[in-house]
Every structure is written in C-alpha cells, then in structure tokens.
Amino acid sequence: MQSLRLLPQRAVTAVGSVRVSASPVPSLGPASLRYSGAATPRLIVSNDLRSHGSSFFHTVSTLRQSSETEQTAGPLWKTPRTMPMDKYEYLSDVWRDGIFDNKVVFCTGGAGSICSAQVRAMVHLGANACIIGRNVEKTENMAKDIATARKGARVLGLGAVDVRKPEALAAAAERCAKELGSIDFVIAGAAGNFLATMDQISSNALKSVMEIDVLGSYNTLKATLPYLVESAEKYKVDGKTRPKAGTGGRIIFVSATLHYAGTPLQSHVSIAKAGVDAMSVSVAIEQGPKGITSNVIAPGPIAGTEGMARLSTDDSRRETRRQIPAQRMGYVKEIADATIYLFSDAGNFVNGETIVVDGGAWHTSSIDSGAFKYPDFLLSGETVTGVAGMKKSKL
Ligand code: COA
C-alpha cells in the first residue's frame, strides 16, 4: 500500500495499553491504516479498566455524543452524558415499535459502543436483554443505561464473564433464560484488538485474540444454542404467512472486513475474524434445518467508537474518511439497523451471509491515492494523463 505510514511505535504502544472489556472490532480497513504519523493518540486510558470501571463507563457514555465531533477534527472524548439517548442516534424510524415484544437478546461485548447500540435498538423495539462483559461496573452501568430506551424494559448486565470461559458463559445464558424467560436472539460481539505487526506479537498475544474472537464466539454459540433452537421452533416463519408473534432463534456474529484485502498491524484480528466468518456459515448450514439463522455483520470505520480510538489517530481518521466512497464514517445506528433487519421478519431468508456496513470502504482498499487521489480526481472530471498506453475514447 503506497501511502501506508505506520504509527510511531510509542503511539501504537499507548493505544495497545488500553485495557477494557471485550467489545467488537470495527473494520477500519486498510484505508484507516494510512497513518499520518501523528504521535499522540487522543485517548489514553492507561489504567486497568477492570479496576476503574466507573470512569470508563463515563467515557463510554460520551462515545454517543462524540460521533459527530469524531467525524470532524473535534475532541473524541467529551464530558459525560448520562441521559437517555435520542432514538435516532441508535435506530432509524423505519422499524415498528413492539416487533420484539416478549423476546430476549443475549449479547457478549454488550457494553461496547457498537454492541450497546445494537442491544439498545432491540430493547427500544420491545426486547429485554442480557449483556455480558468482563468489567462488572461498566457492564452493569451500561445495562441500566440501555434500559432507558423503553419504559418497563429489563436489561441484565452480567459482568465478570470472560467469553474465553465456556462454563461462565453457560452460567450466564442459564441465568438470562431463567430471569428473562428465554434467549431468542444472540449477538456474539466480544472481540480483542490492538495494533502490532505479526513479528511484534507473541504466540500468546495471537492466542488471546483467537481465544476472545473465535473461541469466545464458539462458547457463546454453545451456551445459547439450546435456547435458540427452542425459540426457532416456537417462532417458525415460512416467509408467506404473517408471523403471529414475530421471529426467534437467530444469531449475529460481529466480524470485520480486515481480512478481505488484508490489513497490516491487524493480522491477528484478520486471522480470527476469518474464523468467525467461517463459523457463522457452518452454523447456518448445520442449524438452519432447525430454523436457526446465522449471519455476520462486518462494520467498517464507525465514528465515536472505542475501536476508532484504539486503532487510529486524529489524522488517520481524516484520511480514512476520504477513502470511503460514502465520504464519511458510519454511525453505530447503522450497525443497529442491520441488526434489526436480520433479526426481524424482514430477514427471514437471509442465512449464512455477511452484511458489510462500511459505506463501501473495503472496496477502496486497493485505491492508488498517489497521482489520482481518491476521490478528488474522480470528482474533478479530468482524464488520466502521464501514464503509458492512454487513448482518448470516441464518446
Ligand atoms: N502489542 C503486542 N502484544 C500485545 C499488545 C500489543 N499492543 N497488547 C497485548 N499484547 C500481548 C501481551 O503482551 C500478552 O502477550 P505475552 O504474554 O507474550 O506478553 C498477550 O498479548 C496477552 O495480553 P494480556 O493483556 O495478558 O491479555 P488479556 O487477555 O488481558 O487482553 C487483549 C486481551 C490483548 C486482546 C486486550 O487488548 C483486550 O483485552 N482487548 C479487549 C478489548 C478490545 O480489544 N476491544 C476491541 C475494540 S476494537
């Protein structure tokens, strides 16, 4: 990649030093790795957040309002906000209230910026929810916050659950089903990421990411599958008859686009996410006959998320936006909308698929931004000159 200039090592180390509960990895894509070389990342949460959950929760709350400023050059982290979110920040107006009434969504990484929006949208539309995380305070606080999306909503925040521990997940799933009545939808969103080349990481580092992303997703599936099968059986859909009580028995794996074209500094995540994608297809094939659907959502660069803070600098974010056909980053709402589509009656016949929500970002990963800078050259209406073999077409 011609324009790739890596972050200085000290900046990478600083970003990597953030310790947080697992949450999904946005696919920054190769474009986002066209780093400017700016040495100071905006957010350094250098403490172990497992012991500073409260301050981090405030940080997470600010993620919502930071989306707009994040797309400009403004500060990423602003003053805490604890009031309920405006619905349009996490859900489009096209969905009908109540479509997930009496349903339960179980989500790992649910305290993270992307997954919390997915769950919040489900809760707004009628679901109760159980979110899982490693950090107790952060997870419990986020559960309370999500519950503000609908009067009477019940949202359990189960902290101290590491997706790498199958028995912990099984216990969490059991508690969710016992307290909320079922598990109808699952979002496997927990993920781990940091920026480093393959030769800079140890075997143990790769193992950590593989264990969180691949094994963690597998453990999530295993723990919830019996409930999903039950729900699929109860809420059968045939695509022709209007479902009386909605849908159920569906899982979404939150993946990435990093591995489509290959992304330097994120090989470990690319390897893991390729595994997650394969797992989702296998689930669709094996469990589809029981009524289960299994799909992947692959987010692109999403503004105001923890992932953007961990994996990019101010200047690289500016450059990233140029490389996205949509000329902007996405919002968590756009991931939530894709989630509602897949879980609702609208997504009945979608199984074993990946929905990439990235504004077209990954398609531009091979763009030569040198002489014919994207998108300026396209927008200028000029024709290519200065290269061999050019001909003028008779239009
Ligand atoms: N560069 C190179 N190696 C790194 C690293 C970095 N930036 N960060 C962690 N590692 C290595 C550690 O040094 C360790 O390897 P070692 O035993 O050879 O020293 C290994 O990874 C495990 O690190 P540790 O911190 O003990 O693991 P953990 O299980 O507590 O954390 C991570 C897992 C590394 C994935 C951590 O980044 C994490 O908890 N992430 C969750 C949140 C997240 O990433 N969200 C994604 C938002 S995009």
Side-chain angles (χ1 to χ4, degrees):
M1 191 182 309
Q2 283 187 336
S3 55
L4 175 68
R5 278 189 286 150
L6 301 182
L7 277 167
Q9 182 56 40
R10 77 190 159 93
V12 171
T13 308
V15 173
S17 71
V18 176
R19 292 287 186 274
V20 292
S21 294
S23 61
V25 178
S27 309
L28 301 180
S32 67
L33 287 171
R34 295 177 178 110
Y35 291 116
S36 65
T40 321
R42 263 185 192 149
L43 168 72
I44 308 290
V45 185
S46 54
N47 297 318
D48 185 331
L49 291 158
R50 275 164 287 193
S51 55
H52 291 80
S54 162
S55 61
F56 186 68
F57 172 67
H58 288 302
T59 308
V60 166
S61 328
T62 66
L63 284 170
R64 314 172 192 159
Q65 65 179 23
S66 65
S67 296
E68 203 180 334
T69 49
E70 161 70 0
Q71 295 230 304
T72 62
L76 180 60
W77 316 104
K78 292 177 77 183
T79 43
R81 190 179 102 170
T82 45
M83 57 196 161
M85 279 171 103
D86 171 35
K87 181 199 162 197
Y88 200 70
E89 282 184 69
Y90 60 88
L91 191 63
S92 292
D93 289 334
V94 297
W95 312 104
R96 183 167 54 77
D97 283 356
I99 54 174
F100 297 117
D101 275 358
N102 305 313
K103 301 289 167 57
V104 176
V105 57
F106 180 94
C107 177
T108 62
S113 0
I114 290 179
C115 284
S116 62
Q118 293 175 287
V119 175
R120 199 182 293 267
M122 292 290 292
V123 168
H124 184 102
L125 297 175
N128 288 323
C130 179
I131 63 167
I132 309 300
R134 271 193 289 170
N135 181 309
V136 175
E137 200 169 356
K138 179 185 164 190
T139 308
E140 289 178 355
N141 283 337
M142 185 58 87
K144 281 186 206 143
D145 196 50
I146 291 172
T148 62
R150 179 176 50 83
K151 207 164 173 250
R154 293 189 64 199
V155 182
L156 292 181
L158 304 185
V161 180
D162 191 324
V163 291
R164 291 171 279 196
K165 306 248 160 47
E167 59 289 347
L169 266 173
E174 198 183 328
R175 187 165 159 206
C176 173
K178 204 169 168 192
E179 292 195 24
L180 301 178
S182 63
I183 297 176
D184 304 286
F185 303 100
V186 173
I187 299 169
N193 201 2
F194 51 81
L195 293 177
T197 60
M198 258 209 254
D199 54 301
Q200 286 164 348
I201 71 169
S202 64
S203 171
N204 191 45
L206 178 66
K207 186 170 166 233
S208 292
V209 174
M210 292 295 282
E211 280 189 341
I212 295 171
D213 290 22
V214 183
L215 259 181
S217 297
Y218 175 77
N219 292 337
T220 304
L221 172 77
K222 285 279 276 190
T224 56
L225 192 56
Y227 306 102
L228 286 178
V229 170
E230 205 177 298
S231 178
E233 174 64 29
K234 197 168 165 191
Y235 302 108
K236 271 195 183 124
V237 287
D238 62 11
K240 226 176 149 197
T241 324
R242 187 173 283 119
K244 282 193 195 76
T247 57
R250 300 188 180 181
I251 184 164
I252 289 171
F253 295 88
V254 182
S255 187
T257 62
L258 303 167
H259 47 301
Y260 298 175
T263 307
L265 296 178
Q266 292 189 70
S267 330
H268 41 299
V269 187
S270 303
I271 296 164
K273 290 305 190 186
V276 170
D277 291 0
M279 187 175 345
S280 174
V281 174
S282 301
V283 176
I285 296 168
E286 288 184 358
Q287 306 300 327
K290 296 178 203 159
I292 302 279
T293 73
S294 169
N295 291 288
V296 164
I297 291 179
I302 303 298
T305 57
E306 179 194 329
M308 287 308 297
R310 288 172 65 94
L311 307 173
S312 62
T313 64
D314 290 1
D315 290 342
S316 73
R317 280 193 282 277
R318 235 168 270 133
E319 184 58 26
T320 294
R321 280 194 294 277
R322 293 180 60 80
Q323 302 285 343
I324 302 172
Q327 294 293 288
R328 66 169 175 90
M329 289 186 201
Y331 291 104
V332 290
K333 165 181 167 290
E334 290 165 318
I335 308 301
D337 278 330
T339 305
I340 304 304
Y341 166 65
L342 288 173
F343 281 165
S344 73
D345 194 32
N348 292 344
F349 208 47
V350 184
N351 201 6
E353 280 308 318
T354 295
I355 297 194
V356 178
V357 187
D358 74 341
W362 87 266
H363 292 291
T364 60
S365 53
S366 63
I367 277 175
D368 178 352
S369 62
F372 312 109
K373 199 169 173 65
Y374 183 88
D376 310 32
F377 182 76
L378 292 176
L379 296 174
S380 74
E382 288 170 33
T383 52
V384 171
T385 55
V387 297
M390 285 307 296
K391 252 183 166 178
K392 258 223 154 27
S393 180
K394 298 184 210 72
L395 288 171

